[in-house]
Amino acid sequence: LRHKLWPAFGRQRTPGDILYWPRNDQLVHFTHWAVYIGRRALSPEGERWMQDTHEVTGAELPEAVVHLWGAADSDARDMSADAAVVHTTLQLVGGSAYDGNLRYDAKYTPMRPAQIMERALTALHRKTYEERFGGYSVLGNNCEHFCTWARYGFQQSDQVGFGFTAVTGVLGLLLMGPPGAVIGGMIGSRVTKGVHSMRRQQSVKFDGVDHDQGEEEGEEVDWVVDCLVEHMAMEGAAEAISASAEHALPGVGS
């Protein structure tokens, strides 16, 4: 289900979706991440959020995202040391966005869209994210960390984890040959999983309660089931597309 243009499989664009853009033109390939917030912008006096249309001009607002990004005059906004939570148009990020929900919803149940939006907009307006997690860090606090925090309640960056595991595998290969590569990769994977687990535990401890506080148990079960059903439907759509493509190719399966 990875690397599908957003929104994948006929889904609607939903505020609270997380998106990513591959930056394959860089020396080290990476992805930039953002939270989609629909057509929203601060009012001229900056006291409330306008939705869909501008309250003064009546013009349709552009689609927008909230993300951890550098200042406009930064040489590399995606990885700038001065990166902060900002609001920009979707178009400004550049290129076609990919569906980040697919990469994480298979592992974690997302919060409801309204909860995700509240976290993202509060982090933007009150700077609560920077107060809690500090400044930008490629390894410890990047744009992907912000998006997973907003959507799932805790920070995680799979691209950092994959990179760390690859590095430990290469070091093992250099020191011990092929067996060392396997051992190094296993160590890297184990450390990465440990860091992810620790961050989830820290998030629950910091908030004091689970992120679904105040909801009836039955309502929470219904939400989890709905998320699972939606993900299974997308997996089925992906398999159907793959099977159709195979049948369309001459000689496949014969």
Side-chain angles (χ1 to χ4, degrees):
L1 288 179
R2 291 181 178 178
H3 306 306
K4 298 293 183 183
L5 287 173
W6 170 79
F9 306 118
R11 292 176 61 251
Q12 298 296 315
R13 297 187 175 201
T14 303
D17 286 348
I18 55 175
L19 324 175
Y20 68 94
W21 291 259
R23 303 304 201 200
N24 296 332
D25 59 338
Q26 302 297 312
L27 180 61
V28 177
H29 295 181
F30 64 93
T31 53
H32 180 70
W33 290 70
V35 179
Y36 176 69
I37 62 169
R39 298 183 183 276
R40 284 176 170 81
L42 278 173
S43 62
E45 65 273 16
E47 295 181 354
R48 59 188 176 278
W49 285 95
M50 301 180 294
Q51 185 172 347
D52 296 329
T53 58
H54 196 286
E55 63 183 25
V56 176
T57 66
E60 183 180 53
L61 295 172
E63 293 182 288
V65 292
V66 171
H67 50 146
L68 204 58
W69 219 24
D73 58 356
S74 300
D75 292 334
R77 300 188 71 176
D78 291 337
M79 303 176 66
S80 176
D82 67 355
V85 179
V86 297
H87 167 279
T88 67
T89 65
L90 176 65
Q91 184 179 11
L92 184 62
V93 186
S96 298
Y98 285 75
D99 199 322
N101 303 335
L102 298 182
R103 303 191 65 171
Y104 280 101
D105 285 4
K107 298 184 289 186
Y108 309 114
T109 300
M111 296 184 184
R112 288 170 171 78
Q115 294 172 303
I116 302 168
M117 290 291 292
E118 180 180 3
R119 290 170 72 84
L121 296 181
T122 299
L124 172 69
H125 193 54
R126 299 182 183 175
K127 299 303 178 185
T128 53
Y129 183 82
E130 289 94 332
E131 290 177 3
R132 177 174 174 183
F133 297 109
Y136 177 86
S137 167
V138 172
L139 299 180
N141 186 30
N142 62 40
C143 54
E144 188 176 3
H145 287 116
F146 170 72
C147 288
T148 52
W149 171 84
R151 186 170 175 84
Y152 306 99
F154 54 85
Q155 291 181 308
Q156 184 164 317
S157 176
D158 280 353
Q159 63 183 321
V160 170
F162 295 150
F164 178 75
T165 301
V167 168
T168 57
V170 170
L171 289 175
L173 177 64
L174 294 175
L175 294 173
M176 302 171 58
V182 174
I183 295 172
M186 292 175 62
I187 292 174
S189 178
R190 188 177 184 89
V191 170
T192 296
K193 290 179 180 178
V195 170
H196 291 170
S197 177
M198 179 188 67
R199 290 202 173 203
R200 290 194 294 272
Q201 294 171 7
Q202 287 176 340
S203 181
V204 172
K205 182 178 180 181
F206 181 89
D207 292 339
V209 293
D210 290 336
H211 299 294
D212 302 303
Q213 71 175 66
E215 296 179 336
E216 295 295 334
E217 183 177 354
E219 293 178 351
E220 174 55 22
V221 171
D222 289 344
W223 172 249
V224 173
V225 170
D226 288 344
C227 291
L228 289 173
V229 169
E230 180 179 6
H231 188 75
M232 290 175 64
M234 286 189 290
E235 284 186 326
E239 291 176 359
I241 292 173
S242 177
S244 177
E246 289 182 358
H247 286 304
L249 294 174
V252 175
S254 60

